[in-house]
Amino acid sequence: MTLTGARERRVRTGGVELCVAELGDPEQPTVVLVHGYPDSKEVWSEVAGRLAGRFHVVSYDVRGHGRSTAPEPLRGGFTLEKLTDDFLAVVDTVSPDRPVHLVGHDWGSVQSWEFVTVKRTEGRIASFTSMSGPSLDHFGHWIKQRVSRPTPRRVGQLLGQGAKSWYVYLLHTPVLPELAWRGPLGRRWPGILRRMEKVPGDDYPTPSLPADAAHGAWLYRDNIRSRLRHPRADARAHAPVQLITPVEDVFLSPRLYDDLERWAPGAIRRTLPAGHWIPRTRPDQLADWITEFVTSVEDERPVPVASGRHADRFGGQLVLVTGAGSGIGRAAACAFGEAGARVVAVDRDTESAVRTAELARLSGARRAWAETADVSDERSMEKLAERVGEAYGVVDVLVNNAGIGLSGSFFATTTDDWREVLDVNLWGVIHGCRLFGRLMAERGQGGHIVNIASAAAYQPSKALPAYSTSKAAVLMLSECLRAELAGQGIGVSAVCPGFVHTNITSTARFVGVDAAEEQRRRGRATRWYGLRGYPPEKVAAAILRAVVRDQAVVHITPEARGARLLSRFAPGALRAIARLDPPL
Ligand code: NAD
């Protein structure tokens, strides 16, 4: 098996022959992708294909892996010094005159940290993107610091990473790993990767896996103990670094990178809600971040990293917010903008959507666009999904926020009133989830859906039968969808705010009263919400947090949290409150 369309050549170095694959135009900047353990260069095929349009992409089988030969004897044949020789031999062949952009995953990243911190590679590396593989020197200092100055937190971090490293101890035992990999573990590994890591397709790993894994055990044996005991004191990076951390990695704690600034000043940090094998599970996002980083370094301009909260998580992601022309939707669009996302602001009111896109751009959005659509209209939403898919790509975060208020007793609420509220508040969410959620699921690279419900979802009121029903349905829909999409790396959150100071009170309808009385009630509600003074920006911050933490249900404002507690522990009290006349 090869990287699709790659040109292959052999490079001889230190008694081994390395199999090197190249894609793209050699005149373009060279990106060298280094694979991990137990992998071969094909782990990069998805990412390499996406980068090949812009760069000269090179990947090679590390010695003893894939179609590269193994050193003899194996013991002592995998030291970081020898791996550095291999790297230099490859780059001298594929890019003799220009420094390369290095990208490493797992052990590919561990060895790349060596490449980027030793003297003899200076001037040969233009940038380094690291994922799921720390420098053994940095790791050694990390352990030493925690052992020499233990605090409960530091001991916890040590024990946490110690538990995640169980396989490292096993790989140090003689013969056993080789027997396991060449026997049952080698046969079962593809299934394990699919089940545990959600690695899609059946074209990876390659048939060389048992031999790769058996040889690669020497990566650990030749380096780990000696380096962790005697880490180099001067292991500073001599090229700009981008660190991509998958936060659900079962092998590495994100805490390992706490001291990164000491070794790589100004390093760019990115986080992904994903497991260890991101080159297979998140190729779009990786290709995007690598492209942005490499292009900035090549053009000698700063990497466009936003300053807002969660910029590491949302930078460059495509976020679509409905009802973005006002209130919570506008605040959410701006907060995602501040975090450097690409924002699509959707509203049925074109002018206000355009204004929100402008504000998102001013807040720091990498790009922002306005789109007009009526969420209650299936056809309008289908057209929106088509336009967005063609023009901007698959949405990473969808916020189904558009909603309208309607107050009045059950018998004052006509069937048309019911239809209007359910069409916007419930069907709008259903259309959004169906159309954009399906594309997310089909892409198979995760994502997140946020549905804005309300505290009214669990706080009954005789004044809000239609609105509360619509929001209770949104809450349950979110829970059901969350269960359905859990296995696909797509999170679903329901956000339930209490009283938030927005335009909703001045546009809400009050049924069962004449026009003058409706106007008076709107005015009183607006004044009352104004006095309460809870800003939509706080809801927006909670929306971003809900995505980062993958929270199922978020209750915002003290009154929402109070109602939630009553609904669980004193539902009778909540029912008594439901009978009160609203103070309007
Ligand atoms: P808002 O009136 O300030 O903003 C709502 C936006 O949605 C407006 O720009 C409006 O044009 C747009 N919109 C309405 N119907 C639409 C449709 N059919 N298609 C496309 N866009 C449409 O209201 P808000 O307070 O920001 O409300 C946002 C969401 O938060 C709603 O779902 C609302 O029910 C919910 N919510 C609000 C509060 C609150 O106190 N403000 C409390 C709980 C929940």
Side-chain angles (χ1 to χ4, degrees), residues 24 30 70 86 105 158 190 207 288 310 325 365 494 503 527 543 569 578-579:
T30 301
D86 293 355
H105 172 249
L158 267 177
D288 190 38
H310 310 302
N503 285 332
R527 273 194 301 282
I543 291 172
F569 301 112
R579 295 177 186 191

Side-chain angles (χ1 to χ4, degrees), residues 45-56:
S45 53
E46 294 292 326
V47 175
R50 286 162 171 79
L51 294 175
R54 310 233 351 215
F55 304 113
H56 173 216

Side-chain angles (χ1 to χ4, degrees), residues 84-96:
T84 309
D85 292 341
D86 293 355
F87 166 71
L88 281 171
V90 170
V91 297
D92 284 348
T93 308
V94 297
S95 180

Side-chain angles (χ1 to χ4, degrees), residues 300-370:
E300 294 180 21
R301 56 181 167 79
V303 183
V305 175
S307 55
R309 274 183 72 81
H310 310 302
D312 58 326
R313 170 74 163 75
F314 297 116
Q317 291 218 318
L318 186 62
V319 178
L320 185 143
V321 183
T322 68
S326 166
I328 295 170
R330 172 169 284 176
C334 290
F336 279 110
E338 233 177 287
R342 294 179 296 139
V343 177
V344 186
V346 180
D347 206 287
R348 65 178 167 192
D349 179 62
T350 306
E351 226 172 273
S352 62
V354 168
R355 179 73 189 127
T356 298
E358 273 169 22
L359 290 171
R361 235 173 275 128
L362 288 174
S363 305
R366 206 208 290 174
R367 308 280 301 274
W369 305 274

Side-chain angles (χ1 to χ4, degrees), residues 404-414 417 420-421 461-467 499 503-529 581-584:
I404 52 172
L406 185 113
S407 174
S409 73
F410 176 77
F411 289 114
T413 308
T414 65
D417 296 332
E420 190 190 356
V421 170
S461 161
K462 68 177 187 181
L464 293 169
Y467 182 79
F499 305 109
N503 285 332
I504 200 165
T505 43
S506 48
T507 54
R509 289 182 48 226
F510 292 78
V511 295
V513 293
D514 63 23
E517 176 61 15
E518 181 173 33
Q519 212 40 46
R520 198 186 62 80
R521 290 190 183 187
R522 275 189 186 139
R524 287 192 62 171
T526 303
R527 273 194 301 282
W528 197 86
Y529 274 57
D581 284 322
L584 297 174

Side-chain angles (χ1 to χ4, degrees), residues 198-246:
K198 309 280 181 273
V199 168
D202 48 16
D203 59 339
Y204 193 80
T206 52
S208 64
L209 169 82
D212 300 344
H215 291 151
W218 290 100
L219 290 166
Y220 293 84
R221 295 168 183 158
D222 278 351
N223 297 294
I224 296 263
R225 266 185 295 198
S226 53
R227 268 309 165 88
L228 293 190
R229 268 191 214 144
H230 307 291
R232 288 182 300 136
D234 59 348
R236 276 184 202 82
H238 49 66
V241 172
Q242 165 170 249
L243 176 77
I244 300 177
T245 311

Side-chain angles (χ1 to χ4, degrees), residues 254-275:
R255 295 265 75 89
L256 280 180
Y257 303 106
D258 280 357
D259 307 327
L260 183 70
E261 193 60 24
R262 175 177 163 201
W263 307 107
I268 309 288
R269 286 174 183 263
R270 314 278 196 188
T271 56
L272 260 181

